Amino acid sequence: MQKPGKNFRTIWLAPDNPAIVQIIDQRRLPHEFIVADLKSYRDGVRAIADMQVRGAPLIGGTAAWSLYLAALESDGNREHIGKAAEELAASRPTAVNLQWALARMLTAVSEQEGAELVAVFRREAEAICDEDVEISLGIGRHGLTLLEAIARRKNGARVNVLTHCNAGALATINWGTATAPIYLAHEAGIDIHVWVDETRPRNQGSQLTAWELQQSGVPHTLIVDNAGGHLMQHGMVDICITGTDRTTRNGDVANKIGTYLKALAAHDNDVPFYVALPSTTIDWESSDGLQDIPIEQRDPREVTHIWGRNGERLQEIVTVAAGTPVSNYAFDVTPARLVTGLITEAGICEASAAGLAGLFPEHARIAS
Ligand code: MRU
């Protein structure tokens, strides 16, 4: 059984061959657990663009390891590395961790002129991934305090969390962001239950979050994307926790399409709406989410087709009339005013410039 926890990773160096990076091909879950090899940086570009890997922190980790593969191919040729960095940067636009990881990798080599490129990239990619695991655990510990408080208020009765998309271990290196507090609460014996939004069109909720929670034995229920408002109106949600692909320095949050509608419903029903994020997801250069965050538009086929199991076969079927016009915005922006708080590795803060600057004064000072 593969489950988030001590021995789980979403990306790693092949144990018997340091020229191969391995990932879980997330397009096959929950029906098949397949490990895929990345043998060149172009495999990394494809893995990100085609969503074999997805989720902001894992996209960053994959970009880092892909630059390491580029260094292996490059024979010391920095032009090759530059080209790889450009292609990786263009592979998906919204998750800012991608740009962050590439910048960190390139800074690491520029600070060590003459050092062995491959060794520096390997160390840095390992560090990025190891740190991400610790960051997720930090988010988990801070988020756990919120869940404990709700459990106390309810005298130990079940705590119901609603989440959208997959901000779980599969979206990070381990533990997840939104799910880290949930896993820790479950481990601590809190009676916790998760409403899992299906998350059309790629179904990260039904295919990834539900699978992860099931592997870990966390009680959960899959719901269609439009059910959340109804559940909140009937007091069936104590707290919403989502992840984010990019959060501006004033606390606007880009996340999977539909997150904004959940935040609106939460606001209307006095349900606290929290966003869990590593500091690597903060875009310190941007202060207006609606203006500044590029929203990815993906292939219409994601909307017109659906993939799943039919008996023994995995197959895709078309669900609409031929020629139906489609638009497929992959993310939306939830304004800071609808976010109750941000759960980070450094603590929980208000979704505002002051809140984030209080937790990360150094970053905020450089950005202003
Ligand atoms: O399109 P995806 O699957 O990459 O989108 C993922 C999300 O929107 C996640 O909620 C977000 O990246 C946070 S991951 C910890």
Side-chain angles (χ1 to χ4, degrees), residues 143-151 159 161 181-182 185 190 192 239 241:
L144 174 62
T145 62
L146 297 172
L147 301 176
E148 284 170 337
I150 296 170
V159 176
V161 183
I182 293 168
I190 292 175
I192 193 147
I239 185 171
I241 310 180

Side-chain angles (χ1 to χ4, degrees), residues 51 54-57 59 92 164-168 171-172 176-178 204 243-245 255-256 296 298 330-331:
M51 293 177 72
R54 21 70 49 216
I59 289 172
R92 286 196 78 187
H164 190 67
C165 194
N166 173 259
T172 61
T177 57
Q204 289 94 332
T244 167
D245 293 84
N255 192 47
K256 183 54 55 193
E296 177 179 17
R298 293 189 58 87
F331 299 94

